[in-house]
Amino acid sequence: MGSISLYLVNIILISSHILLSIGQEQNENHHNTQQMFDVLDRVHAKCPEITYIYDLPLESVQKRPLRVIVFSDNPKHHELLEPEFKYVGNMHGNEVVGRELILTLAEYLCHEYKKGNEQIKKLVDNTRIHLMPAMNPDGWEIAVQHAWNISKPDQFKDIETMLKEHGTIDWTVGRANANGVDLNRNFPDLDEFIYAYNHDANHRNNHLNFETFVALTSKKDCHNKPYQPETVTVAFWIMKNPFVLSANLHNGDIVANYPYDDSANHLRMYSPSPDDQLFQQLAESYSHANSNMESPKKACGTDVFPEGITNGAAWYPVCGGMQDFNYLASNCFELTLELGCRKFPPGKDLPHFWNENKNALINFMWQTHVGIKGIINNEDGEPIFNATIKVYQLVNDNWEYIDHDMTSNPDGDYYRLLADGTYGIKVTKPGYESQIQYVDIHNKEHQTNAQRLDFTLQSASSEQFNLQRMFRNYMNKY
């Protein structure tokens, strides 16, 4: 029995070594579209109870799926009071580190969950996490094929070797989609609407869905380019799902970029959103967990970013970007993360990028749980959909309105990311009496429960409802 046991132990050790070696080899290789899907399938096969794979309704120009893997203890459905998070990679096809980090992150979440890592189990069980490795799979294929076509004869035995040892060096080929359109300039320009609305005393400040439809039906973006299938399907994905927090992953510098990405006059200048303090905190939650990003040196030989963060328009203005669209078309707060100087580095460098970003990727997901959340019901206990959540912050003994409202989901649940402080939360809905509650926020590291704040709205009398309607009509005129 002793010799048999020893034999089995040796077999297990050898098998483990082989698996680890294979995993390391995979981490040093870039993945084409099919290989990327194979990774997602393997993760799902290993962790079927906490994962779910789906495709967005529209494919890319060259008919490649935009595929997402979900992690949660109930991955197929939104759960009441469980916030939803997303990472989007490879929006620019030749910026590939985010694509590979998301694949490695998917493997890591599955492995650590199965292993019993308490922090990962806590995060996955209390957050619905959506991971899209590639928003622009066509651009990736274009970048790779171009690099292979211009490589010297016999320089590399095949494309995979080229990517592992050399990557690609062209700064522009593959950035756009197969129609030559930059997807991060192709979203409806909701900044234009919000800057115009800010001149009015009573204005819309969130869920600019009508404006989105107006822009899409005009058929051209703010750069006079046609709206692309990748952009349209991602835009509706953003508006349809109850995302709370998000980041899209890029290359070209090392910094965490936050809204607004464009200024009112499209010039380079600091352009704060109403949630500027919170966005800075969210950006620092990533940069401070990435020592290379946090460093004040010129990481890529050009700009210096204090604390590793920047306001988008202060760096350079972007019209039609995805992060501002998230903020103005939905309940979602999004950052743009620039993760390296070189856009398509050699695959052999990928383990370094993972080690540099792993803690930051995880720490940023925890931020989905800062602030408050709750359920909004009527007096009969029925959920109220599309109630408006307004926030007032106590600053120097004065209540200051944060001019960006949230709305409740179909089941009545809502989520409002907030930094530490004292707030007044006001909930309104036509046909109901408004209600306000006050709360002190003290966020804790790696908390999975934002402070709970529920509301029960009472039906307004017909007289009160008519007065509310008259007041709204009056304010809308002026």
Side-chain angles (χ1 to χ4, degrees), residues 248-294:
N248 68 87
L249 311 184
H250 291 250
N251 283 78
D253 219 309
I254 304 176
V255 68
N257 177 336
Y258 58 89
Y260 283 130
D261 247 348
D262 201 5
S263 62
N265 52 15
H266 307 295
L267 298 178
R268 180 179 179 179
M269 59 187 295
Y270 197 102
S271 302
S273 73
D275 284 287
D276 191 59
Q277 176 194 4
L278 173 63
F279 269 120
Q280 290 185 46
Q281 175 181 301
L282 292 171
E284 289 177 356
S285 76
Y286 196 94
S287 68
H288 287 185
N290 180 325
S291 59
N292 196 27
M293 186 177 289
E294 185 182 20

Side-chain angles (χ1 to χ4, degrees), residues 290-362:
N290 180 325
S291 59
N292 196 27
M293 186 177 289
E294 185 182 20
S295 171
K297 69 180 184 299
K298 291 183 179 181
C300 299
T302 52
D303 300 290
V304 175
F305 302 106
E307 304 297 329
I309 68 174
T310 185
N311 172 262
W315 186 17
Y316 60 89
V318 170
C319 174
M322 185 166 69
Q323 75 173 5
D324 286 7
F325 180 82
N326 271 268
Y327 185 62
L328 296 173
S330 74
N331 285 328
C332 188
F333 289 64
E334 179 166 282
L335 302 184
T336 300
L337 302 175
E338 301 279 349
L339 302 178
C341 304
R342 188 168 169 182
K343 295 194 171 189
F344 205 131
K348 62 187 180 183
D349 292 345
L350 291 175
H352 162 74
F353 283 105
W354 170 248
N355 292 331
E356 187 172 86
N357 286 278
K358 179 182 76 171
N359 291 338
L361 288 165
I362 299 297

Side-chain angles (χ1 to χ4, degrees), residues 147-254:
W148 179 249
N149 289 343
I150 65 172
S151 65
K152 296 177 182 178
D154 302 323
Q155 185 177 4
F156 306 104
K157 69 175 184 178
D158 53 30
I159 289 178
E160 288 191 356
T161 303
M162 176 191 73
L163 295 181
K164 180 178 179 179
E165 298 298 327
H166 189 256
T168 75
I169 58 175
D170 195 289
W171 195 256
T172 58
V173 174
R175 173 184 174 90
N177 74 344
N179 284 335
V181 176
D182 186 332
L183 300 180
N184 205 31
R185 308 292 188 276
N186 191 236
F187 279 80
D189 181 19
L190 301 185
D191 294 303
E192 178 182 8
F193 290 100
I194 204 67
Y195 284 129
Y197 294 166
N198 285 343
H199 296 295
D200 301 328
N202 183 42
H203 62 269
R204 298 181 62 203
N205 62 18
N206 71 98
H207 287 79
L208 303 183
N209 296 339
F210 175 75
E211 292 82 352
T212 296
F213 294 130
V214 168
L216 291 176
T217 54
S218 74
K219 299 183 180 180
K220 295 289 182 72
D221 65 18
C222 52
H223 302 276
N224 204 35
K225 297 286 188 179
Y227 286 107
Q228 299 300 296
E230 298 95 336
T231 311
V232 172
T233 198
V234 169
F236 281 97
W237 181 53
I238 291 166
M239 293 189 292
K240 178 183 176 182
N241 288 278
F243 296 122
V244 175
L245 183 62
S246 171
N248 68 87
L249 311 184
H250 291 250
N251 283 78
D253 219 309
I254 304 176

Side-chain angles (χ1 to χ4, degrees), residues 122-139:
K122 183 180 175 184
L123 179 64
V124 170
D125 288 344
N126 291 279
T127 321
R128 191 164 183 242
I129 301 164
H130 302 244
L131 305 178
M132 178 190 286
M135 180 179 165
N136 185 6
D138 297 352

Side-chain angles (χ1 to χ4, degrees), residues 11-30:
I11 290 295
I12 291 170
L13 288 174
I14 291 170
S15 300
S16 299
H17 177 73
I18 291 171
L19 287 172
L20 287 172
S21 299
I22 291 172
Q24 180 65 28
E25 187 71 20
Q26 288 176 338
N27 286 337
E28 292 187 354
N29 284 330
H30 287 285

